[in-house]
Amino acid sequence: MSDRKQARLLVTAAEREISALHGMADAAVFADEIFGFHVQQAAE
């Protein structure tokens, strides 16, 4: 796999994690630990 294709896959995965974070905005539904895990995943 080319470096460009690999980079695109990683960016796409990060975008999905960020979308999930937006859906987790309600602290009454998602624990801080779950939210924090997804923040870390998006950053990586």
Side-chain angles (χ1 to χ4, degrees):
M1 177 181 314
S2 72
D3 289 344
R4 174 170 251 170
K5 188 170 184 176
Q6 180 68 26
R8 185 69 228 151
L9 288 172
L10 293 172
V11 168
T12 299
E15 289 171 343
R16 285 192 309 256
E17 289 291 340
I18 290 168
S19 292
L21 292 173
H22 289 291
M24 295 179 187
D26 186 354
V29 177
F30 289 95
D32 289 342
E33 297 84 15
I34 301 299
F35 184 82
F37 172 78
H38 287 280
V39 168
Q40 178 185 5
Q41 292 299 301
E44 287 180 12

